[in-house]
Amino acid sequence: EKLDIVLYPDSGLREVCKPIAEMNDRIDRLIDDMFYTMYDAPGIGLAAPQIAVQERLIVVDVSEKKNEPLALLNPEIIRSAGKITWEEGCLSLPGIYANVNRPSDIIVRGMNRDGKMIELEANDLLAVCIQHEIDHLNGKLFVDHLSGLKRMRALQKFKKLQEEGDLDE
Ligand SMILES: O=C(O)C[C@@H](Cc1ccccc1)C(=O)SCC(=O)c1ccccc1
Ligand SMILES: [Zn+2]
């Protein structure tokens, strides 16, 4: 049920993930485990490479009541417009937050957990989260959207937090 979340700088987070051929029981179980892990973290999204599965699968739920789960296989952004700045975090870089600029309105196509191809419009935080998760499928992290200096400072801070954590053990 609860899976271990892979932390930076694990190389799996830098791989381009493989498409999923079809919905099956293995993927269905994986989706349940990813939602359980995401809600427990807590988080508003999770991508398969974050639990060491190099396949194109994401789960998101940005609702307040944690009752709007969305799982997408092989998600693709087919339209994007607008602009939004959001202070993003990442469960693979706990304790690091930074402002990222992304399109605010997207149309995303993918297969849902019933095996049906769907297209949906996402705006604001849902759009930000889906783009953050699709980045994970392409080996990209939110810090990659920062300027060199900001990225370096964020990763140095993460390294320090991890070393402090090791000391606390
Ligand atoms: O690493 C991930 O993919 C999860 C990440 C998703 C995300 C957060 C913010 C902007 C875009 C994408 C997180 O969920 S980090 C934790 C977080 O943001 C949060 C946790 C509890 C309540 C609300 C937000
Ligand atoms: Zn992330």
Side-chain angles (χ1 to χ4, degrees):
E1 279 285 308
K2 190 175 131 188
L3 306 168
D4 290 334
I5 295 178
V6 162
L7 294 183
Y8 180 91
D10 187 285
S11 63
L13 293 173
R14 288 309 193 178
E15 280 181 38
V16 175
C17 299
K18 284 177 283 308
I20 297 174
E22 30 113 54
M23 192 53 214
N24 58 39
D25 290 350
R26 174 180 74 89
I27 299 294
D28 203 46
R29 168 69 188 275
L30 187 56
I31 288 171
D32 286 337
D33 291 347
M34 284 176 70
F35 275 122
Y36 187 92
T37 303
M38 179 190 81
Y39 289 125
D40 174 78
I44 56 174
L46 195 66
Q50 294 183 278
I51 41 107
V53 171
Q54 306 305 127
E55 298 181 59
R56 302 186 79 79
L57 168 60
I58 66 171
V59 297
V60 303
D61 185 345
V62 300
S63 68
E64 294 289 318
K65 295 201 181 90
K66 303 278 153 240
N67 59 355
E68 292 173 31
L70 168 70
L72 283 177
L73 286 63
N74 311 318
E76 291 174 298
I77 293 168
I78 57 175
R79 294 281 300 281
S80 67
K83 199 160 173 282
I84 182 170
T85 301
W86 195 274
E87 189 180 37
E88 299 191 14
C90 184
L91 295 174
S92 296
L93 285 145
I96 302 302
Y97 301 92
N99 284 338
V100 176
N101 302 318
R102 295 185 192 266
S104 54
D105 305 283
I106 61 172
I107 307 272
V108 59
R109 173 169 47 209
M111 187 186 290
N112 67 15
R113 69 180 305 171
D114 301 330
K116 205 160 106 348
M117 284 307 285
I118 61 165
E119 283 185 16
L120 86 142
E121 180 176 355
N123 312 108
D124 306 324
L125 180 54
L126 181 59
V128 168
C129 188
I130 289 173
Q131 291 175 86
H132 177 113
E133 303 313 330
I134 292 177
D135 273 354
H136 275 301
L137 304 182
N138 297 320
K140 217 169 155 71
L141 299 171
F142 81 100
V143 293
D144 299 337
H145 293 276
L146 306 180
S147 70
L149 193 63
K150 284 198 172 84
R151 175 166 57 253
M152 203 165 57
R153 287 187 174 140
L155 294 177
Q156 265 161 354
K157 180 180 173 196
F158 178 68
K159 201 160 161 282
K160 226 161 62 56
L161 291 173
Q162 290 296 305
E163 281 156 9
E164 276 158 22
D166 299 345
L167 281 176
D168 297 346
E169 265 156 30

